[in-house]
Amino acid sequence: MAFPTQRMRRLRVNPTMRNMVRETSLSVNNLVYPLFITYGKDKKIPVNSMPGVYQYSVDKVKEEIHELGALEIPAVLLFGIPEYKDNMGTSGCQENGVVQEAIKTIKDINPNILVITDVCLCEYTDHGHCGIVEQDGTINNDKTLELLAQQAASHAKAGSDIIAPSDMMDGRVGYIRNILDKDGYSDISIMSYAAKYSSAFYGPFREAAESAPQFGDRKTYQMDSANIKEALREVKLDIAEGADIVMVKPALSYLDVIKAVKDKFEYPTAAYNVSGEYSMIKAAAEKGWLDGESVMYEVLTSIKRAGADIIISYAAKDVAKVL
Ligand code: PBG
């Protein structure tokens, strides 16, 4: 059937019609809001490169949790900025660490909010790498696993609902699953950053989390942006090791990867709409070059359309207000 019998514009005549035939709808249920937790008291420090995003001390997280509750955003993803860093990232495992304290505080305020915790060394190491650095500058995969597992176990003990390892060491999902089960946390889920690319889009995050590598880059552990088959192998391994949710990160430049992962594995799939994706829209909007709210909505919709079930975004609050 062709024109004039078929007229595609008939189903676009008005908003009601368009709403009825819409194929993809964003829901607040899909959104996760990242939070940066810093040490000390009474702090709400703006992140320069991410307008609207702040570092909070644990005591200041309360108002934020109330706001998220009012917007019905179901989950947060926590990152820690500790007072002290060392070459092993030991402050990431402390019982009274920033993230551990934040988990308890958030659960006290609102037990219904899902607390997802990022597990990695880069926020806690003085060298800023996601693993243990050897004398020659290489990252030791297997020595790192034990530290990641300890950090994950300490999050679980504090009350985290979902452990999200973002380090990209080989074998860490299985290693963490093992420790969680042994410690009695077999009901706690793992959302693995399965296909995490080495991306320049993380720039603003590294300011927010104070986690930029002090030498070299992350290319020996994070993926090459040119690869998609490798992403499928990464995801396959993480699922085999026990991941409950698999993540693709970043999102916007990797929509094909999101789609391929969802189509191939049919697993709960998360996509991380990362810091740089947020900042570039905010910056252009501040200049009046584009309508930030509409563009953000369009971007998140495209991520969902590609196949993501869960979207982690700094724009979660902005988008929830529109929804
Ligand atoms: C830690 C981590 C990073 C991000 C999430 N977890 C930074 C990195 O790998 O350098 C990036 C998130 C963002 O850019 O919003 N490994």
Side-chain angles (χ1 to χ4, degrees):
M1 253 192 291
F3 179 79
T5 315
Q6 183 100 350
R7 286 181 181 270
M8 297 304 285
R9 291 182 54 199
R10 282 185 198 123
L11 299 183
R12 298 175 196 149
V13 284
N14 61 41
T16 312
M17 185 71 92
R18 291 194 294 272
N19 287 343
M20 195 171 69
V21 299
R22 180 162 301 126
E23 298 172 35
T24 308
S25 294
L26 273 181
S27 155
V28 71
N29 292 334
N30 305 130
L31 301 176
V32 177
Y33 188 64
L35 281 178
F36 297 99
I37 312 294
T38 191
Y39 61 90
K41 274 201 162 62
D42 201 29
K43 291 201 265 189
K44 181 179 175 183
I45 306 166
V47 178
N48 192 32
S49 53
M50 301 176 73
V53 174
Y54 300 83
Q55 298 176 341
Y56 297 90
S57 53
V58 172
D59 58 311
K60 285 294 239 183
V61 109
K62 191 180 262 172
E63 51 193 89
E64 195 60 24
I65 296 301
H66 286 315
E67 191 187 348
L68 293 170
L71 291 168
E72 294 178 15
I73 291 176
V76 290
L77 171 60
L78 304 185
F79 297 94
I81 300 128
E83 187 164 12
Y84 302 106
K85 303 191 183 202
D86 60 22
N87 63 355
M88 307 269 281
T90 44
S91 55
C93 308
Q94 285 163 351
E95 202 166 333
N96 61 351
V98 278
V99 165
Q100 290 81 353
E101 289 297 323
I103 298 168
K104 291 178 247 171
T105 303
I106 292 168
K107 286 287 175 186
D108 275 348
I109 301 166
N110 183 352
N112 294 324
I113 201 157
L114 282 174
V115 177
I116 310 172
T117 50
D118 185 90
V119 165
C120 196
L121 297 197
C122 65
E123 299 137 61
Y124 307 98
T125 48
D126 47 16
H127 46 69
H129 276 287
C130 305
I132 296 298
V133 177
E134 294 290 1
Q135 292 283 329
D136 63 0
T138 57
I139 311 295
N140 188 313
N141 191 88
D142 297 9
K143 278 188 200 162
T144 304
L145 299 180
E146 183 56 37
L147 290 163
L148 294 168
Q150 277 176 30
Q151 191 182 124
S154 77
H155 290 177
K157 189 171 178 210
S160 174
D161 298 291
I162 302 178
I163 301 294
S166 71
D167 52 281
M168 287 300 277
M169 296 299 123
D170 289 325
R172 91 278 204 213
V173 172
Y175 208 93
I176 290 171
R177 183 71 269 164
N178 208 11
I179 292 248
L180 291 178
D181 290 353
K182 221 173 60 206
D183 286 1
Y185 301 112
S186 51
D187 285 342
I188 293 191
S189 315
I190 296 179
M191 174 166 84
S192 74
Y193 288 70
K196 177 174 176 181
Y197 288 88
S198 172
S199 170
F201 282 104
Y202 306 153
F205 172 94
R206 291 178 188 169
E207 182 201 333
E210 302 176 16
S211 66
Q214 298 305 300
F215 67 91
D217 54 41
R218 304 205 200 290
K219 290 187 192 299
T220 68
Y221 41 105
Q222 299 181 347
M223 284 184 53
D224 184 332
S225 61
N227 298 352
I228 183 165
K229 295 191 182 87
E230 185 188 351
L232 298 176
R233 296 208 303 277
E234 281 280 8
V235 170
K236 189 177 176 185
L237 282 169
D238 283 7
I239 290 173
E241 289 176 33
D244 301 284
I245 300 168
V246 289
M247 191 200 297
V248 174
K249 176 187 173 193
L252 192 50
S253 301
Y254 300 86
L255 294 174
D256 55 333
V257 181
I258 297 171
K259 176 159 172 51
V261 165
K262 187 68 197 180
D263 286 351
K264 184 164 171 125
F265 298 102
E266 299 184 334
Y267 243 64
T269 303
Y272 200 142
N273 173 226
V274 299
S275 56
E277 299 173 38
Y278 173 85
S279 298
M280 64 185 182
I281 293 173
K282 285 283 175 184
E286 271 181 12
K287 282 187 173 274
W289 290 350
L290 48 72
D291 171 355
E293 198 174 275
S294 302
V295 169
M296 207 62 95
Y297 181 83
E298 192 174 328
V299 165
L300 295 203
T301 303
S302 75
I303 295 169
K304 177 130 191 225
R305 194 186 65 231
D309 305 293
I310 299 164
I311 302 171
I312 302 159
S313 177
Y314 304 95
K317 290 196 293 183
D318 300 339
V319 172
K321 283 171 196 159
V322 182
L323 288 175

